[in-house]
Short mmCIF file of all heavy atoms in Angstrom, two decimals:
data_model
loop_
_atom_site.label_atom_id
_atom_site.label_comp_id
_atom_site.label_asym_id
_atom_site.label_seq_id
_atom_site.Cartn_x
_atom_site.Cartn_y
_atom_site.Cartn_z
N THR J 1 101.43 -190.53 -48.59
CA THR J 1 101.65 -191.93 -48.74
C THR J 1 100.55 -192.61 -49.52
O THR J 1 100.87 -193.40 -50.53
CB THR J 1 101.84 -192.62 -47.41
OG1 THR J 1 102.96 -192.03 -46.72
CG2 THR J 1 102.14 -194.12 -47.54
N VAL J 2 99.35 -192.29 -49.23
CA VAL J 2 98.19 -192.90 -49.91
C VAL J 2 98.15 -192.48 -51.33
O VAL J 2 97.85 -193.24 -52.24
CB VAL J 2 96.89 -192.58 -49.14
CG1 VAL J 2 95.66 -192.92 -50.01
CG2 VAL J 2 96.82 -193.28 -47.83
N GLN J 3 98.43 -191.18 -51.61
CA GLN J 3 98.49 -190.73 -53.03
C GLN J 3 99.50 -191.50 -53.85
O GLN J 3 99.28 -191.94 -54.98
CB GLN J 3 98.83 -189.22 -53.10
CG GLN J 3 97.68 -188.37 -52.65
CD GLN J 3 98.03 -186.89 -52.60
OE1 GLN J 3 99.18 -186.54 -52.89
NE2 GLN J 3 97.13 -186.08 -52.21
N GLU J 4 100.71 -191.70 -53.23
CA GLU J 4 101.80 -192.43 -53.95
C GLU J 4 101.39 -193.91 -54.18
O GLU J 4 101.63 -194.47 -55.21
CB GLU J 4 103.06 -192.30 -53.22
CG GLU J 4 104.25 -192.89 -53.91
CD GLU J 4 104.60 -192.27 -55.25
OE1 GLU J 4 104.18 -191.05 -55.50
OE2 GLU J 4 105.30 -192.94 -56.09
N ILE J 5 100.87 -194.51 -53.09
CA ILE J 5 100.47 -195.93 -53.21
C ILE J 5 99.38 -196.08 -54.31
O ILE J 5 99.50 -197.02 -55.16
CB ILE J 5 99.95 -196.45 -51.82
CG1 ILE J 5 101.13 -196.66 -50.81
CG2 ILE J 5 99.11 -197.72 -52.03
CD1 ILE J 5 100.67 -197.02 -49.43
N ALA J 6 98.41 -195.20 -54.34
CA ALA J 6 97.41 -195.28 -55.37
C ALA J 6 97.98 -195.13 -56.74
O ALA J 6 97.57 -195.89 -57.63
CB ALA J 6 96.35 -194.17 -55.08
N SER J 7 98.89 -194.19 -56.93
CA SER J 7 99.48 -194.07 -58.23
C SER J 7 100.30 -195.28 -58.66
O SER J 7 100.37 -195.65 -59.85
CB SER J 7 100.30 -192.80 -58.29
OG SER J 7 101.55 -192.96 -57.57
N LEU J 8 100.92 -195.99 -57.67
CA LEU J 8 101.69 -197.15 -58.07
C LEU J 8 100.76 -198.40 -58.24
O LEU J 8 101.04 -199.29 -59.08
CB LEU J 8 102.70 -197.49 -56.93
CG LEU J 8 103.82 -196.49 -56.76
CD1 LEU J 8 104.62 -196.82 -55.56
CD2 LEU J 8 104.68 -196.42 -57.98
N LEU J 9 99.67 -198.46 -57.53
CA LEU J 9 98.76 -199.59 -57.68
C LEU J 9 98.12 -199.63 -59.07
O LEU J 9 97.84 -200.75 -59.57
CB LEU J 9 97.64 -199.57 -56.60
CG LEU J 9 98.06 -200.02 -55.25
CD1 LEU J 9 96.92 -199.76 -54.28
CD2 LEU J 9 98.45 -201.48 -55.23
N ILE J 10 97.95 -198.51 -59.72
CA ILE J 10 97.30 -198.53 -61.04
C ILE J 10 98.31 -198.96 -62.11
O ILE J 10 97.88 -199.29 -63.21
CB ILE J 10 96.73 -197.20 -61.46
CG1 ILE J 10 97.76 -196.07 -61.54
CG2 ILE J 10 95.58 -196.78 -60.48
CD1 ILE J 10 97.21 -194.73 -62.10
N ARG J 11 99.57 -199.16 -61.76
CA ARG J 11 100.57 -199.64 -62.71
C ARG J 11 100.59 -201.17 -62.57
O ARG J 11 101.25 -201.70 -61.63
CB ARG J 11 101.91 -199.03 -62.45
CG ARG J 11 101.89 -197.49 -62.64
CD ARG J 11 103.19 -196.83 -62.31
NE ARG J 11 104.33 -197.48 -62.97
CZ ARG J 11 105.60 -197.37 -62.66
NH1 ARG J 11 105.87 -196.59 -61.59
NH2 ARG J 11 106.54 -197.94 -63.30
N LYS J 12 99.96 -201.87 -63.41
CA LYS J 12 99.85 -203.33 -63.32
C LYS J 12 101.13 -204.11 -63.37
O LYS J 12 101.18 -205.21 -62.97
CB LYS J 12 98.88 -203.82 -64.40
CG LYS J 12 97.44 -203.53 -64.11
CD LYS J 12 96.49 -204.30 -64.99
CE LYS J 12 95.07 -204.14 -64.47
NZ LYS J 12 94.16 -205.04 -65.10
N GLU J 13 102.17 -203.47 -63.98
CA GLU J 13 103.43 -204.10 -64.10
C GLU J 13 104.18 -204.25 -62.73
O GLU J 13 105.15 -205.04 -62.58
CB GLU J 13 104.34 -203.48 -65.11
CG GLU J 13 104.99 -202.17 -64.74
CD GLU J 13 104.00 -200.97 -64.97
OE1 GLU J 13 102.87 -201.16 -65.35
OE2 GLU J 13 104.51 -199.81 -64.82
N LEU J 14 103.77 -203.48 -61.76
CA LEU J 14 104.34 -203.54 -60.43
C LEU J 14 103.60 -204.53 -59.52
O LEU J 14 102.41 -204.32 -59.28
CB LEU J 14 104.31 -202.14 -59.75
CG LEU J 14 105.17 -201.02 -60.35
CD1 LEU J 14 104.92 -199.74 -59.74
CD2 LEU J 14 106.63 -201.46 -60.30
N PRO J 15 104.21 -205.48 -59.05
CA PRO J 15 103.61 -206.49 -58.11
C PRO J 15 103.19 -205.71 -56.82
O PRO J 15 103.90 -204.85 -56.33
CB PRO J 15 104.62 -207.50 -57.81
CG PRO J 15 105.67 -207.34 -58.89
CD PRO J 15 105.62 -205.94 -59.34
N ILE J 16 102.03 -206.06 -56.28
CA ILE J 16 101.53 -205.42 -55.08
C ILE J 16 102.48 -205.66 -53.95
O ILE J 16 102.73 -204.81 -53.09
CB ILE J 16 100.05 -205.96 -54.77
CG1 ILE J 16 99.12 -205.39 -55.85
CG2 ILE J 16 99.68 -205.50 -53.37
CD1 ILE J 16 97.73 -205.99 -55.80
N GLN J 17 103.04 -206.91 -53.87
CA GLN J 17 103.96 -207.21 -52.80
C GLN J 17 105.24 -206.24 -52.81
O GLN J 17 105.73 -205.83 -51.84
CB GLN J 17 104.48 -208.65 -52.93
CG GLN J 17 105.45 -209.12 -51.87
CD GLN J 17 104.86 -209.09 -50.49
OE1 GLN J 17 103.65 -209.47 -50.29
NE2 GLN J 17 105.57 -208.73 -49.51
N LYS J 18 105.66 -205.94 -54.03
CA LYS J 18 106.80 -205.02 -54.16
C LYS J 18 106.46 -203.64 -53.74
O LYS J 18 107.26 -203.02 -53.07
CB LYS J 18 107.21 -205.01 -55.74
CG LYS J 18 108.23 -203.93 -56.05
CD LYS J 18 109.58 -204.48 -55.81
CE LYS J 18 110.71 -203.53 -56.37
NZ LYS J 18 111.32 -202.64 -55.49
N ILE J 19 105.28 -203.21 -54.01
CA ILE J 19 104.81 -201.84 -53.53
C ILE J 19 104.85 -201.87 -51.99
O ILE J 19 105.34 -200.91 -51.33
CB ILE J 19 103.45 -201.49 -54.05
CG1 ILE J 19 103.47 -201.40 -55.61
CG2 ILE J 19 102.94 -200.16 -53.46
CD1 ILE J 19 102.11 -201.28 -56.27
N ALA J 20 104.24 -202.93 -51.39
CA ALA J 20 104.23 -203.05 -49.89
C ALA J 20 105.74 -203.03 -49.34
O ALA J 20 105.95 -202.35 -48.35
CB ALA J 20 103.54 -204.34 -49.49
N GLU J 21 106.57 -203.72 -49.98
CA GLU J 21 108.00 -203.73 -49.52
C GLU J 21 108.64 -202.35 -49.70
O GLU J 21 109.38 -201.95 -48.75
CB GLU J 21 108.80 -204.83 -50.30
CG GLU J 21 108.41 -206.20 -49.98
CD GLU J 21 108.99 -207.30 -50.95
OE1 GLU J 21 109.81 -206.82 -51.81
OE2 GLU J 21 108.69 -208.48 -50.78
N ASP J 22 108.38 -201.71 -50.81
CA ASP J 22 109.00 -200.39 -51.01
C ASP J 22 108.54 -199.35 -49.97
O ASP J 22 109.32 -198.42 -49.71
CB ASP J 22 108.65 -199.92 -52.42
CG ASP J 22 109.41 -200.67 -53.52
OD1 ASP J 22 110.28 -201.42 -53.19
OD2 ASP J 22 109.04 -200.44 -54.68
N PHE J 23 107.37 -199.56 -49.41
CA PHE J 23 106.93 -198.62 -48.36
C PHE J 23 107.19 -199.20 -46.98
O PHE J 23 106.67 -198.65 -46.02
CB PHE J 23 105.36 -198.37 -48.59
CG PHE J 23 105.14 -197.34 -49.62
CD1 PHE J 23 105.06 -197.74 -50.97
CD2 PHE J 23 105.06 -196.01 -49.35
CE1 PHE J 23 104.82 -196.76 -51.96
CE2 PHE J 23 104.82 -195.06 -50.31
CZ PHE J 23 104.76 -195.47 -51.65
N SER J 24 107.97 -200.26 -46.90
CA SER J 24 108.39 -200.84 -45.65
C SER J 24 107.29 -201.36 -44.75
O SER J 24 107.36 -201.30 -43.53
CB SER J 24 109.26 -199.88 -44.87
OG SER J 24 110.41 -199.49 -45.58
N PHE J 25 106.22 -201.84 -45.34
CA PHE J 25 105.17 -202.54 -44.55
C PHE J 25 105.74 -203.85 -44.09
O PHE J 25 106.36 -204.53 -44.83
CB PHE J 25 103.89 -202.71 -45.38
CG PHE J 25 103.07 -201.43 -45.51
CD1 PHE J 25 103.33 -200.55 -46.49
CD2 PHE J 25 102.08 -201.14 -44.51
CE1 PHE J 25 102.61 -199.35 -46.65
CE2 PHE J 25 101.38 -199.95 -44.59
CZ PHE J 25 101.63 -199.04 -45.68
N CYS J 26 105.37 -204.18 -42.88
CA CYS J 26 106.00 -205.45 -42.31
C CYS J 26 105.36 -206.72 -42.90
O CYS J 26 105.95 -207.74 -42.81
CB CYS J 26 105.89 -205.43 -40.75
SG CYS J 26 104.13 -205.26 -40.16
N SER J 27 104.18 -206.61 -43.53
CA SER J 27 103.59 -207.76 -44.09
C SER J 27 102.56 -207.31 -45.15
O SER J 27 102.09 -206.16 -45.11
CB SER J 27 102.84 -208.62 -43.03
OG SER J 27 101.68 -207.94 -42.54
N ALA J 28 102.24 -208.24 -46.07
CA ALA J 28 101.29 -207.93 -47.11
C ALA J 28 99.88 -207.69 -46.51
O ALA J 28 99.12 -206.83 -46.97
CB ALA J 28 101.23 -209.03 -48.11
N SER J 29 99.58 -208.43 -45.41
CA SER J 29 98.23 -208.27 -44.82
C SER J 29 98.11 -206.86 -44.13
O SER J 29 97.11 -206.28 -44.19
CB SER J 29 97.97 -209.35 -43.79
OG SER J 29 98.88 -209.29 -42.77
N TYR J 30 99.22 -206.36 -43.55
CA TYR J 30 99.20 -204.99 -42.94
C TYR J 30 99.02 -203.97 -44.07
O TYR J 30 98.25 -203.01 -43.94
CB TYR J 30 100.40 -204.78 -42.11
CG TYR J 30 100.36 -203.39 -41.39
CD1 TYR J 30 99.41 -203.13 -40.40
CD2 TYR J 30 101.20 -202.38 -41.80
CE1 TYR J 30 99.36 -201.91 -39.84
CE2 TYR J 30 101.15 -201.16 -41.24
CZ TYR J 30 100.22 -200.89 -40.24
OH TYR J 30 100.11 -199.63 -39.64
N PHE J 31 99.68 -204.18 -45.15
CA PHE J 31 99.61 -203.23 -46.26
C PHE J 31 98.21 -203.26 -46.82
O PHE J 31 97.64 -202.15 -47.04
CB PHE J 31 100.59 -203.65 -47.46
CG PHE J 31 100.43 -202.87 -48.66
CD1 PHE J 31 100.89 -201.55 -48.76
CD2 PHE J 31 99.93 -203.38 -49.80
CE1 PHE J 31 100.78 -200.81 -49.88
CE2 PHE J 31 99.79 -202.66 -50.94
CZ PHE J 31 100.21 -201.37 -51.04
N SER J 32 97.60 -204.37 -46.94
CA SER J 32 96.23 -204.52 -47.40
C SER J 32 95.25 -203.85 -46.50
O SER J 32 94.42 -203.08 -46.94
CB SER J 32 95.84 -205.97 -47.54
OG SER J 32 94.53 -206.08 -48.05
#
């Protein structure tokens, strides 16, 4: 999961909130 999140975070065109939602985190703060 961490490897995939890291690879998505380096793609600036993807909003961080969208990445959190795609991984089913219940909130942005928990994702952070």
